[in-house]
Amino acid sequence: MDENITELISKDQFELDLYEAAVHNLSDLSNELRFNNFAYAMRELSRHVLHRLAPSEGVLKCSWYKNLTQNENGITRVQRAIYATQGGLSDKFVRDTLNIDPSDAHRSLRDAIDRLSRFTHVEKEVFDLSADTVDKLSGEITSAFSGFAAVIQDCRSRIIEGLEEAIHESTVSEVLSDSLPAVDEIATHFSLEEVYVDSAEVTDITHDTIHLLARGTLGVTLQWGSNSDIRRGEGAELDESFPFTCALTCTINDDLSPEDLEVLEDSLMVDTREWYGAEDGEDEYGD
């Protein structure tokens, strides 16, 4: 299965299962309908993905939206693909500031979905296709989806590059100003020694806001007992590190100004599960 596609749908188990089932159809060489079944599943997958990434209420609020259909508040597949890629960011900003032109990927996805629709209606000319034809067509479909997924990731990566310094500064400031109760629960006292922001990702782009998640590590010195206890050898100190996450938002504008970056209130989460011996997913972050 294509890595770009699986990354795009990795957070939705139904979409992952549907994609796996679609690909599995191609391996059933004894079934004359194997490509037709693949086409139907992939068309449905595209519908789910586009509606998840580009809800109608979001698309309609974008400054770049124009009704290109005959229906009231009509939305084309290309417009959903545009929203999935850039949300409310203007085409000019995406081209001139992020240096991305996703138009080819959007058109390829539209054409691929149109092509899938042709094969979901079983007629004589699309029944029991040759192995070479199936390989060629499935490759073209997968390539279109993969390119669409790649341009979404590329757009988000360029946004992170533009905000990297501001994300680091905002996250560190939030950590320094927070009381960190999850760490405080472990020892009598603690001192914050280091803050590392390891990575950041764009989790969503709506019509007016970019949502980001920063991940990092806190270096702390844990202390049990008072300073006097430590001097008498009756206390203890231990250097430890804990992973953390912090959510941020940035208002969409024409220059992606770092000044518009804000940390979401109460979003700082410190993961102390390993200290207590908890397995991943066993409980929520302590902070």
Side-chain angles (χ1 to χ4, degrees), residues 28-43:
D28 187 4
L29 301 180
S30 65
N31 189 346
E32 293 89 344
L33 287 169
R34 65 190 182 104
F35 184 76
N36 307 85
N37 292 338
F38 168 79
Y40 175 76
M42 289 296 287
R43 188 186 68 174

Side-chain angles (χ1 to χ4, degrees), residues 191-252:
S191 58
L192 182 62
E193 305 296 335
E194 298 171 317
V195 181
Y196 295 103
V197 179
D198 302 321
S199 65
E201 67 170 314
V202 174
T203 57
D204 192 20
I205 307 178
T206 68
H207 70 284
D208 62 356
T209 306
I210 300 171
H211 297 262
L212 308 104
L213 183 68
R215 292 184 174 87
T217 305
L218 307 178
V220 299
T221 298
L222 302 173
Q223 178 180 320
W224 291 268
S226 65
N227 291 338
S228 298
D229 292 334
I230 296 294
R231 287 193 295 271
R232 291 194 301 268
E234 296 175 357
E237 289 183 321
L238 177 66
D239 292 332
E240 187 59 84
S241 62
F242 300 102
F244 73 90
T245 60
C246 185
L248 308 95
T249 62
C250 185
T251 302
I252 285 178

